[in-house]
Amino acid sequence: MGGRVSLALVIHNHQPVGNFGWVIADVYEHAYSPMLNALERHPGIRLGMHYTGPLLTWLAANRPEAIAQIRGLVDRGQVEILGGGHYEPILITLPDRDRRGQLVRMRDEMEELFGRRPKGAWLAERVWEPSLAYDLAEAGYEWTVLDDNHLRAASIREDEMWTAFTTDDRGRRLTVFGTEQGLRYRIPFKPVEDLISYLADRRTEDGRFVGMMGDDGEKFGAWPGTFEYCWSNEHWVDRCFDAIEAAGDWLATVTPSQWLASNPPTRRVYFPTASYVEMTEWVLPPDETPVFTRLLEDARARNLPAARFLRGGFWRNYMARYREINELHKQMLRVSDKVDAMAGGAGESLRPAGPVLGSARDRALDHLYQGQSNDCYWHGLFGGVYIVHMRMATLAGLIAAEDLADAAAAAAGGEPYGARMVDTDLDAIDEVLVTLPGQTVVVDLAEGAGISSWDLRAGRLALASVLRRRPEAYHERLVAHDAEAAETAIDGAADEGEADIAGGHAAAAAADAPRTIHDMVSVKEPGLAAYLHYDRHERRSGLVHVLPAGDGTDGAAFITATYEEFGDFVEDAYALTSLAEDGLDARRLGRVVLDGLDRPLAVEKTYRFGGRRSTPTLTLQTTVENPGDTALEFELAVEWNLNLLGGGHNPAAYYETEAGDRSPHDVAGDVALARGIAFGNDFEGVRVEARAEPAARLTWYPVETVSNSEGGFERVYQGSSLLFRWPITLAPGARATRTVGFDVTQSIDHAPAEPAAAGEAAAAEAGNREGQSRAT
């Protein structure tokens, strides 16, 4: 058979804000560097490459030879560099000014680094909405890569995908390539001969077809089993490049812009909202995901036309599924407005002035952009919001930006500090937002008058960022595996204790092709299903529990969420009775069920906030009142959820009892009676002295989720839950008051010592976080 066909490869190399330097170094050695070396060995191979802003910053600081190597490949026309959002945000979540700011910054920095202004833009997680055609084109980009899932949603048939399409929005035009699943799943997971045959079948006499394969660079060596397959044993990449070069009479690799220079798009298409198909599965409610997955797999297996029309969920619903994601997003929007209001804002400066960030606004804008990095705004196979050190780094960026913006507003005579009613999470119900030079606190009156956010500004620590333990669709697979393992008593076969459980088979030998990361399932420790516990409520702080009288509720009952709750004060609404600059009062007249009888109980909460920048204070006074005619006896517990980056028995993060005994922040503990306890993180320079009035029983335990990642199922420290517990006996009409106070000391204040250079700032932040647990 004669004819020709072209192959356009685009490799997306992704490292997010907050990742550990040792992780990036490992991926560089196993995936990024081998690919650059392979391209130098095969000068006939042309492709597009995208590097995220954080990865480029790390390369410039730690592997400058890689920047030179990439520049050399660009100069000889072998590699086309792509742009996109600098810190790789989900662009559709951003205000228009930040969309453009991120896109322009990346565009200009690519031109500075590699001498070419990028024409193509990589779209984070391929999350598309039609307005992006305007945003990308307005920022100077000419084309982007979507998924074949987008093309199907736009009624493009399978045999019509091997070309480029044109779309437009508000008078701006954009070219779109579709990365084809057949190519993505073959490269590098099928034999080279299979790939070449697949390409040969697409030949035409006029050579009008181009196959686009845009996917993660990490799958070429960093995903489980792929380094041996791609480089050290099977040398898949070199064999693939050899085969492509040998087929040069009919097969050509092209950069996307090279293809478009002689093959402009000829078909107009308007794409609906979409992402890659797996993302649209993950965003569904956990009970709906397996239904959709089964329907899609069955339709594909039977080659039914219906497979083209089956669509999963809408990406924005991550903000409906996860309270934490929604609040992160709305915090980012609040901070963006504040940064835009700084001098030189209101659209006047769309990107930091350059590599040296001299002004407070430049620094604030850079921190804001870091806080928009996409990884913690969703959840799926790659961890997302469950990855605690990345979530804390994302929040640290927002804390820093807001701190700088408020300081600038105060210096200009504004009044950014104080307590006010604001709908912080856009749920149509106002929360209390407390903004002070040393801390920012959000109290959600409609949700138990609990603290949903407690940010320490000097240390840039989101102290209350603790993720709820909730059901995920993939938990069913874990439960099934553990049940099968218990029944068959067969140990796993994967290296270093990882048990490969896909389909009940042993791990593939290194000489065999690895499965794609979407097909591969493993566990990092046996018996993980036993850790699947689901919280009854969101992990806010200052929550009031009414528990059985006596000492019967032990720590295990809290860990497993099997404790008895007698009141309705944890999640139900409180009424605001007073609001001042330094605090608030709220009250709820609720019910308790004691001895089988429904009885009234009133709870009043008094929050007070104070202290200085490096020594903020927070106090909660809880008063319970018996308005009924029958005596009440119960245990009052006030719950605090705290994140001190303590996973993996991190020696820097601790609890310290009154006796001076320290324990890691990710272990459980119980003290029968104490006037207080301390906790902190030495590496972060944070210590908190907590006091109870009167003395209380203290119970604490780690909040650990079980989530899936490219490395397998794993336990992840999300924080620690600390309960202050008192026995209460109330005669009719009686009242009792219990108080918890926190005195914070921060030895590190990032703002005064902030490096002038953006790269230095990012490196310092990464180095600070890297001291935390690798196990996280």
Side-chain angles (χ1 to χ4, degrees):
M1 175 181 176
R4 294 173 288 110
V5 68
S6 295
L7 174 63
L9 301 172
V10 173
I11 298 176
H12 161 58
N13 296 317
H14 167 72
Q15 292 298 328
V17 169
N19 207 1
F20 297 132
W22 63 267
V23 173
I24 304 175
D26 184 72
V27 178
Y28 174 80
E29 298 300 332
H30 286 86
Y32 305 150
S33 180
M35 181 59 74
L36 293 175
N37 294 335
L39 289 172
E40 289 184 335
R41 291 191 298 270
H42 297 273
I45 301 297
R46 291 175 172 80
L47 48 73
M49 299 192 82
H50 173 254
Y51 292 83
T52 60
L55 176 54
L56 286 171
T57 298
W58 186 91
L59 289 173
N62 298 278
R63 300 292 189 277
E65 67 275 12
I67 299 293
Q69 198 173 11
I70 298 166
R71 176 68 183 254
L73 292 168
V74 171
D75 286 343
R76 70 190 195 195
Q78 191 175 350
V79 165
E80 177 180 5
I81 286 291
L82 280 73
H86 186 270
Y87 287 105
E88 212 191 1
I90 302 292
L91 287 170
I92 58 97
T93 67
L94 308 185
D96 289 346
R97 60 179 175 268
D98 294 342
R99 296 186 190 189
R100 178 168 172 78
Q102 291 257 14
L103 290 166
V104 168
R105 177 173 177 181
M106 187 67 161
R107 180 199 71 193
D108 292 352
E109 290 196 5
M110 294 305 94
E111 186 172 14
E112 292 167 6
L113 274 175
F114 304 116
R116 307 286 192 282
R117 174 168 287 196
K119 296 180 178 180
W122 184 263
L123 199 59
E125 304 304 327
R126 301 193 284 281
V127 176
W128 169 267
E129 291 186 9
S131 63
L132 289 179
Y134 177 92
D135 297 318
L136 294 172
E138 187 69 9
Y141 293 98
E142 298 178 10
W143 58 266
T144 192
V145 179
L146 298 183
D147 207 75
D148 48 4
N149 192 47
H150 300 73
L151 272 59
R152 294 187 190 95
S155 301
I156 306 298
R157 299 180 184 276
E158 304 296 322
D159 58 357
E160 299 172 332
M161 293 184 179
W162 287 53
T163 188
F165 305 90
T166 184
T167 192
D168 59 83
D169 180 67
R170 289 169 284 169
R172 296 291 185 272
R173 194 195 69 78
L174 185 74
T175 297
V176 172
F177 291 94
T179 175
E180 202 259 348
Q181 188 180 67
L183 290 172
R184 289 200 316 275
Y185 279 32
R186 282 175 169 81
I187 301 174
F189 302 107
K190 298 290 184 182
V192 170
E193 296 76 16
D194 181 270
L195 170 64
I196 298 301
S197 175
Y198 186 74
L199 291 166
D201 289 342
R202 270 71 181 169
R203 289 179 288 181
T204 62
E205 289 300 325
D206 58 2
R208 67 181 181 276
F209 284 166
V210 59
M212 166 62 72
M213 197 296 297
D215 210 352
D216 296 341
E218 293 79 21
K219 74 178 185 177
F220 298 100
W223 288 3
T226 56
F227 179 74
E228 295 79 8
Y229 188 70
C230 289
W231 307 111
S232 65
N233 291 348
E234 294 300 299
H235 306 283
W236 190 96
V237 173
D238 280 298
R239 290 191 296 107
C240 176
F241 287 172
D242 285 337
I244 291 173
E245 289 173 325
D249 57 332
W250 61 268
L251 173 61
T253 57
V254 294
T255 67
S257 292
Q258 179 187 357
W259 170 264
L260 291 175
S262 55
N263 297 274
T266 57
R267 180 170 177 179
R268 182 184 309 278
V269 178
Y270 295 96
F271 304 94
T273 60
S275 180
Y276 52 84
V277 68
E278 294 85 1
M279 181 71 83
T280 68
E281 295 173 5
W282 300 331
V283 74
L284 290 170
D287 57 336
E288 295 290 341
T289 300
V291 176
F292 172 76
T293 302
R294 284 193 296 269
L295 287 171
L296 183 59
E297 289 177 350
D298 178 69
R300 285 175 172 174
R302 296 165 59 190
N303 201 26
L304 298 177
R308 289 201 304 118
F309 301 101
L310 289 172
R311 300 185 62 194
F314 179 32
W315 186 90
R316 288 183 184 246
N317 278 320
Y318 280 112
M319 291 178 278
R321 275 201 62 196
Y322 298 90
R323 185 266 303 183
E324 301 88 346
I325 291 177
N326 181 63
E327 292 181 356
L328 170 66
H329 177 249
K330 303 311 182 283
Q331 180 176 351
M332 179 271 290
L333 296 178
R334 180 182 83 230
V335 174
S336 178
D337 285 343
K338 289 187 176 185
V339 172
D340 187 56
M342 296 175 74
E348 293 179 33
S349 175
L350 295 169
R351 54 159 289 185
V356 177
L357 305 182
S359 73
R361 185 175 186 275
D362 285 341
R363 296 197 304 273
L365 195 59
D366 187 64
H367 286 303
L368 168 65
Y369 287 174
Q370 291 185 52
Q372 295 170 342
S373 183
N374 80 82
D375 295 75
C376 298
Y377 288 83
W378 58 279
H379 172 62
L381 174 62
F382 300 96
V385 71
Y386 280 82
I387 305 177
V388 66
H389 62 281
M390 292 185 193
R391 186 173 78 245
M392 295 294 277
T394 300
L395 285 162
L398 299 181
I399 295 169
E402 186 169 29
D403 182 31
L404 289 166
D406 284 344
E415 298 180 353
Y417 303 123
R420 56 196 180 277
M421 299 295 293
V422 180
D423 186 5
T424 59
D425 57 2
L426 297 184
D427 64 350
I429 304 171
D430 282 350
E431 289 75 41
V432 178
L433 173 62
V434 181
T435 306
L436 298 172
Q439 60 185 328
T440 304
V441 182
V442 175
V443 178
D444 196 330
L445 296 168
E447 300 286 342
I451 292 174
S452 57
S453 177
W454 183 10
D455 296 339
L456 305 180
R457 291 193 161 194
R460 298 173 180 171
L461 183 68
L463 192 58
S465 178
V466 180
L467 200 71
R468 179 179 186 172
R469 301 176 299 177
R470 49 170 58 83
E472 298 288 355
Y474 51 70
H475 286 165
E476 290 186 4
R477 302 165 70 187
L478 177 62
V479 171
H481 162 256
D482 278 13
E484 181 181 350
E487 181 178 342
T488 60
I490 296 177
D491 291 330
D495 188 31
E496 295 183 0
E498 290 192 4
D500 189 329
I501 60 173
H505 296 292
D512 296 330
R515 286 179 293 275
T516 76
I517 204 163
H518 301 290
D519 297 330
M520 183 169 48
V521 184
S522 62
V523 296
K524 292 190 173 182
E525 61 179 295
L528 274 177
Y531 294 95
L532 291 175
H533 309 300
Y534 303 128
D535 292 321
R536 305 178 188 180
H537 56 80
E538 298 290 343
R539 284 282 172 182
R540 296 183 174 89
S541 288
L543 301 178
V544 171
H545 295 271
V546 177
L547 305 175
D551 299 328
T553 307
D554 61 10
F558 294 113
I559 293 174
T560 58
T562 56
Y563 58 89
E564 291 185 272
E565 180 73 58
F566 289 161
D568 60 2
F569 301 94
V570 176
E571 288 192 289
D572 286 20
Y574 285 64
L576 183 69
T577 57
S578 69
L579 181 63
E581 290 297 301
D582 65 343
L584 65 107
D585 299 290
R587 175 182 170 87
R588 172 174 175 76
L589 178 58
R591 313 293 296 181
V592 294
V593 179
L594 299 175
D595 301 324
L597 299 176
D598 189 309
R599 298 168 180 172
L601 180 69
V603 173
E604 298 175 359
K605 289 184 172 184
T606 298
Y607 285 104
R608 291 294 179 264
F609 312 98
R612 298 180 180 274
R613 176 175 176 81
S614 294
T615 56
T617 63
L618 187 157
T619 302
L620 171 59
Q621 179 179 286
T622 303
T623 299
V624 290
E625 179 184 358
N626 180 6
D629 55 8
T630 305
L632 302 177
E633 184 178 6
F634 55 89
E635 181 180 76
L636 173 69
V638 181
E639 174 185 350
W640 298 84
N641 291 292
L642 309 159
N643 189 337
L644 284 162
L645 292 164
H649 297 330
N650 177 13
Y654 62 88
Y655 277 108
E656 183 177 298
T657 66
E658 288 181 304
D661 298 325
R662 277 198 177 193
S663 61
H665 200 255
D666 62 345
V667 301
D670 194 283
V671 176
L673 193 66
R675 291 170 298 176
I677 191 170
F679 49 87
N681 185 308
D682 292 332
F683 206 84
E684 295 287 339
V686 175
R687 180 178 173 87
V688 183
E689 300 277 353
R691 62 187 186 279
E693 301 174 8
R697 179 183 177 183
L698 304 180
T699 302
W700 64 92
Y701 61 93
V703 179
E704 295 179 313
T705 56
V706 177
S707 58
N708 199 8
S709 71
E710 64 268 35
F713 285 96
E714 58 190 348
R715 274 192 294 159
V716 179
Y717 160 96
Q718 298 295 340
S720 177
S721 188
L722 171 63
L723 294 105
F724 295 79
R725 306 167 63 182
W726 297 272
I728 299 291
T729 300
L730 293 176
R735 295 164 58 92
T737 297
R738 302 292 183 265
T739 302
V740 179
F742 299 94
D743 298 318
V744 180
T745 302
Q746 299 169 90
S747 61
I748 298 174
D749 189 342
H750 292 284
E754 190 158 43
E760 292 174 9
E765 198 76 14
N768 190 34
R769 301 289 171 183
E770 190 172 341
Q772 309 307 321
S773 164
R774 297 186 179 190
T776 311

